Amino acid sequence: MRPGAFQPLLYIFGGEALSGFSLALIIGVVVGTYSTVVIATATAIMLGVSHADLLPVPKKGAEAGNTLP
């Protein structure tokens, strides 16, 4: 089971005592995920990060091959 998959199950099967707590967990996960994506995207745009900046740099010289010393 993936992490975070227990919150809906806890809400459904947890009973009345746990329903408020599990609803708060579900809302927190959704809002936290959304805000992280929005903030990270806005920060990357403000810093001028391009697609080329996220690609790995190719190695040059002896480091490029799988040569043993």
Side-chain angles (χ1 to χ4, degrees):
M1 192 178 276
R2 63 180 163 61
F6 73 94
Q7 285 103 349
L9 295 175
L10 188 65
Y11 183 75
I12 294 169
F13 299 115
E16 186 178 346
L18 293 177
S19 65
F21 174 69
S22 60
L23 182 62
L25 281 176
I26 293 169
I27 292 171
V29 168
V30 170
V31 170
T33 302
Y34 176 77
S35 68
T36 299
V37 170
V38 169
I39 291 171
T41 303
T43 303
I45 290 171
M46 286 175 37
L47 292 174
V49 176
S50 68
H51 179 70
D53 294 331
L54 301 175
L55 295 176
V57 178
K59 294 182 179 180
K60 297 178 183 176
E63 297 175 0
N66 292 330
T67 59
L68 295 174

